[in-house]
Amino acid sequence: MSSHQPAPSTSNQAWGGRYSEGPSAIMQAINASIGFDRKLWRQDIRGSLAHAAMLKHVGIISADDEAAIRDGLNQIAAEIEAGEFTFSEALEDIHMNVEARLTERIGEAGKRLHTGRSRNDQVALDMRLWVRDAIDGIDGQIADLMRALVDRADEHAATVMPGFTHLQPAQPTTLGHHLLAYVEMLGRDRARLADCRARMNESPLGAAALCGTGFPIDRHMTAAALGFDQPMRNSLDAVASRDFSLEFLSTATICGTHLSRFAEEIVLWTNPYFGFVKLSDAFTTGSSIMPQKRNPDAAELVRAKVGRIAGALVGLMTVMKGLPLTYGKDMQEDKEGLFDATEALALGLAATAGMVRDMQPDGARLKAAAGAGFSTATDLADWLVRELRLPFRDAHHVTGRLVAKADAKGIDLSGLSLEEMQAEEPRIHNGIYSVLTVEASVASRTSYGGTAPVNVRRMAGEWRERLK
Ligand code: ARG
């Protein structure tokens, strides 16, 4: 494509008055957003319906014109829905594609729709409506994932597994407690979404190009009709701001990070060296060359999806930084990353919920791993404090020497004889063996928020109520 070759169309109908020639093909290619902003068609038509109803209400357009506009827009919606609408790159974006088709269908009245409005407040409105819907969809999906986690947590409230720090065996915990940790994270993600939604729920419509309008429009009416709490207070802010998208993307990135951490755990847990859980054929793939393989592809992709989501956040931040007020065409670049990130998060949430419901924990394996690595050493030290009144620091040292002794012999702490223990601390008696099992270890941790199965069951119950 040569740079000064004209695009197939000639003068643009939206600003044709000032222009005698059409854009170069390259101009049209870089300028057009219809390839991706057609996704906004529902929001665009919804906004136009509300705008037209308001124009009629305040007497700017006649009732007949409004009726024609309404019918025309509804027919266009049906055309797009049915895949019968021809989108045109020459018409640049969704706003002009819909308006041009409207005028084609209903004539004169279609040209009155844009009174007291600009594409600048129109696109800001469409994006707010889209993000608001996206928030609601994502929120519902997070709630679904949380329900899946809560069910499995309740089921496995007493299934012991190793708790890790530094990915080294630390203390025994339960699978239920572990899963509920993610429920807490996801609960905060929902709270962040709710905050974001509440803050963004103001209407930019009627800010017009940037300064408002001299027409006697009723911004409160359109705001209410579109489900907003109120119109935005400043017209410049209304057309220039995209922090609602940034806030949604930040929240999406945090949520994606949570999913990514869990996905990484599934990758580890399904590795035969761990063998903690199995995923069925539904969530694994085989290898075309190695017949024994069962690859956790879904988990790996969930682990990776956050790359796109965080990328969209950084991308939009970079577009918006340094942009002078108010609207700049730069802001047209706010869409693709946002759409892509939303899709990635939605897919990640669905796949994670699927894996949570699918995974089969191996209780025996988990229990054996939970007891390995001297994981009850803290319980032993705590026993020395409780029973023998040793200061914790001294108890830690005694326990350390016992771990070294067991390690040297290649046995567990419970494999040490009483004599071997007493060589380090003469007052140790038989009672010590009762705290060295993993079951005793987890059952003892009844402090609020602790790992004990009774806690886990209670918390799962509380979450189930909250998620109803
Ligand atoms: N397609 C544009 C966008 O997405 C719509 C607003 C265009 N406004 C303008 N004055 N060119 O941002």
Side-chain angles (χ1 to χ4, degrees):
M1 176 166 29
S2 125
S3 59
H4 38 261
Q5 213 178 326
S9 79
T10 50
S11 175
N12 183 294
Q13 62 165 335
W15 52 78
R18 167 85 169 74
Y19 277 65
S20 50
E21 276 184 56
S24 79
I26 293 222
M27 177 63 211
Q28 181 169 305
I30 194 171
N31 203 33
S33 53
I34 189 62
F36 47 88
D37 71 10
R38 63 177 69 180
K39 245 196 169 66
L40 296 170
W41 69 267
R42 280 194 182 82
Q43 290 75 16
D44 199 69
I45 288 177
R46 196 175 162 207
S48 288
L49 287 168
H51 183 66
M54 180 278 292
L55 291 178
K56 176 188 82 169
H57 182 76
V58 300
I60 297 174
I61 63 172
S62 70
D64 285 351
D65 282 350
E66 192 270 339
I69 290 171
R70 192 169 359 107
D71 283 354
L73 288 172
N74 285 330
Q75 280 161 16
I76 290 171
E79 278 177 15
I80 300 178
E81 189 92 72
E84 284 157 10
F85 188 94
T86 321
F87 292 100
S88 147
E89 194 188 65
L91 289 168
E92 214 181 303
D93 56 24
I94 184 64
H95 324 297
M96 298 212 287
N97 268 270
V98 171
E99 192 189 309
R101 178 74 180 127
L102 181 67
T103 302
E104 197 174 282
R105 290 193 78 114
I106 70 169
E108 199 61 22
K111 299 194 213 159
R112 298 190 196 280
L113 171 62
H114 213 50
T115 317
R117 181 176 80 165
S118 151
R119 278 189 297 153
N120 295 350
D121 58 338
Q122 195 178 353
V123 73
L125 171 69
D126 292 3
M127 289 299 283
R128 275 181 192 258
L129 291 173
W130 196 92
V131 169
R132 201 173 66 181
D133 288 346
I135 288 175
D136 293 344
I138 294 292
D139 181 66
Q141 281 197 273
I142 299 179
D144 177 63
L145 171 57
M146 289 170 76
R147 276 184 215 107
L149 286 163
V150 167
D151 285 348
R152 300 311 302 267
D154 206 14
E155 182 188 339
H156 291 284
T159 304
V160 286
M161 69 173 281
F164 298 95
T165 59
H166 313 267
L167 196 56
Q168 302 293 320
Q171 294 175 353
T173 184
T174 70
L175 182 56
H177 199 49
H178 195 109
L179 296 178
L180 286 186
Y182 284 101
V183 171
E184 296 289 336
M185 294 175 227
L186 294 165
R188 288 192 295 275
D189 290 336
R190 291 187 75 197
R192 272 183 280 271
L193 283 177
D195 282 353
C196 169
R197 192 189 197 286
R199 222 180 330 276
M200 70 162 291
N201 201 32
E202 297 182 339
S203 172
L205 187 60
L210 72 166
C211 288
T213 174
F215 289 105
I217 59 170
D218 185 346
R219 294 191 58 208
H220 290 87
M221 181 180 167
T222 45
L226 295 166
F228 291 109
D229 298 327
Q230 62 201 56
M232 291 179 76
R233 284 179 296 271
N234 183 300
S235 63
L236 304 179
D237 173 47
V239 297
S241 296
R242 293 292 184 270
D243 53 299
F244 62 95
S245 296
L246 290 173
E247 201 174 345
F248 170 59
L249 285 172
S250 317
T251 302
T253 302
I254 296 171
C255 182
T257 306
H258 292 150
L259 298 187
S260 185
R261 294 183 75 171
F262 185 54
E264 165 64 2
E265 298 202 305
I266 292 182
V267 170
L268 290 171
W269 294 354
T270 54
N271 180 298
Y273 293 118
F274 277 76
F276 288 0
V277 306
K278 278 206 166 60
L279 286 173
S280 78
D281 296 355
F283 284 94
T284 51
T285 62
S287 157
S288 53
I289 175 166
M290 299 163 281
Q292 85 286 9
K293 291 276 267 181
R294 246 181 133 65
N295 297 327
D297 297 43
E300 294 172 272
L301 287 163
V302 171
R303 183 172 64 181
K305 287 284 180 200
V306 69
R308 287 166 182 259
I309 304 170
L313 171 64
V314 175
L316 184 55
M317 289 269 195
T318 313
V319 166
M320 295 309 292
K321 80 163 279 300
L323 201 60
L325 300 190
T326 53
Y327 178 84
K329 199 59 173 262
D330 313 51
M331 287 161 71
Q332 180 163 286
E333 293 286 316
D334 65 347
K335 296 177 187 63
E336 285 165 287
L338 177 82
F339 295 159
D340 182 69
T342 305
E343 202 179 304
L345 184 58
L347 208 48
L349 284 163
T352 306
M355 287 188 285
V356 168
R357 294 192 167 103
D358 182 78
M359 71 184 189
Q360 279 318 319
D362 184 334
R365 205 59 210 201
L366 283 163
K367 185 177 166 184
F374 312 107
S375 66
T376 54
T378 315
D379 299 273
L380 194 156
D382 287 349
W383 185 90
L384 296 174
V385 170
R386 241 183 3 254
E387 297 291 318
L388 308 183
R389 302 264 152 225
L390 254 59
F392 182 77
R393 223 12 97 201
D394 296 344
H396 187 287
H397 284 301
V398 170
T399 308
R401 287 197 296 273
L402 291 174
V403 167
K405 202 177 252 187
D407 197 21
K409 298 185 73 176
I411 54 172
D412 285 341
L413 282 171
S414 58
L416 291 172
S417 68
L418 197 53
E419 293 69 44
E420 284 169 316
M421 296 224 200
Q422 285 169 342
E424 297 304 331
E425 168 51 60
R427 287 179 299 151
I428 292 180
H429 58 78
N430 249 321
I432 199 161
Y433 291 102
S434 70
V435 300
L436 297 181
T437 69
V438 287
E439 286 83 0
S441 171
V442 296
S444 74
R445 289 188 158 65
T446 52
S447 58
Y448 184 82
T451 211
V454 293
N455 284 9
V456 174
R457 280 196 194 92
R458 190 183 322 115
M459 268 311 157
E462 284 180 21
W463 272 114
R464 190 167 284 135
E465 274 308 301
R466 227 174 298 169
L467 287 163
K468 263 194 181 137

